[in-house]
Amino acid sequence: MRAFLIGRWQPFHKGHLEIIKKISAEVDEIIVGIGSCQKSHTLTDPFTAGERMMMITKTLENYDINYYAIPIIDIDYNAVWVSSVESLTPPFTTIYTGNSLVRELFSERNYVVKKPELYNRTDYSGTKIRKKMLDGSAWEHLVPEEVVKVIEEIDGINRIRRLSEKDYDEE
Ligand code: ATP
Ligand code: MG
C-alpha cells in the first residue's frame, strides 16, 4: 500500500520526521510531496525544492523507510489539483493530511484520507522555526542534524536575514 503526504517542509523539522516514521510503519511506501515547489527565497518559503529534497533525502538515509520525494507545483486550480498531483506521483490509495481543503479534494475522488497526529506542535512548527532563524534564537535542536548541515551549506540563515531587510522606501 502506498500513501501520500504533502508539505512545504520549510524547513524539514523533527515533527515531520516523526510523522513520516509513524506512517512508514503503516504503509509499504510513502510519497513525500514537496509542495509549492516553485517557491523559494521568501520569508515563508525560503528554501528551493532542491534544497528541501536534500533535507529530506539526507535525513531519511538514516532510516529504513521506502519513500519517493516528488516536487509538486502550485496550480491555483482546486478542482483539478488531484489530477495534477496524480500526473506527478506514483499511484497511491491513501493520503495523510490535516488540511481541510486537501481532505475534501481527495475524498471527493474516493481516496482514503487519514489525519496524522501532531508531535510537540508547540516547538515543531515551520513558522516558529523560521521565526527563530530570523531573530537569532536557537533552532538547530528542532530539526534533524542533516537539516542543520544543509542549511549551513547553503548559508540559509543569512539568506533569510537578507530577505528580511527593508527596501529604501520602507526604511
Ligand atoms: P508551516 O508553519 O510553514 O506551515 P509546518 O510545520 O506546518 O510549517 P508543513 O510543511 O506545513 O509544516 O507540514 C507538512 C506536513 O507535516 C503536514 O501534513 C503537517 O500536518 C505535518 N506536520 C507539521 N508539523 C508537524 C508536527 N509537529 N508533528 C507531526 N506532523 C506535523
Ligand atoms: Mg503547515
Side-chain angles (χ1 to χ4, degrees), residues 41 43 46-47 133-134 139 151-152 154-165:
H41 295 84
L43 290 177
F47 308 116
M133 288 171 162
L134 190 55
W139 56 273
I151 291 172
E152 275 170 10
I154 64 176
D155 198 18
I157 303 303
N158 283 325
R159 175 190 296 170
I160 290 175
R161 300 217 176 119
R162 285 192 298 267
L163 288 169
S164 76
E165 286 170 14

Side-chain angles (χ1 to χ4, degrees), residues 56-98:
I56 293 165
T57 310
K58 288 175 185 293
T59 300
L60 296 186
E61 255 168 20
N62 300 319
Y63 299 87
D64 184 22
I65 295 175
N66 296 317
Y67 76 97
Y68 308 85
I70 311 273
I72 306 286
I73 194 163
D74 287 336
I75 58 166
D76 200 21
Y77 194 160
N78 291 338
V80 294
W81 187 63
V82 172
S83 305
S84 169
V85 169
E86 288 169 335
S87 78
L88 299 167
T89 59
F92 59 93
T93 53
T94 303
I95 169 161
Y96 286 82
T97 182

Side-chain angles (χ1 to χ4, degrees), residues 7-9 13 15-16 117-119 121 124-127 130:
R8 290 176 13 265
W9 326 111
H13 58 62
H16 295 147
E117 59 181 299
L118 293 172
Y119 295 92
R121 185 62 173 166
Y124 298 161
S125 143
T127 301
R130 292 191 302 274

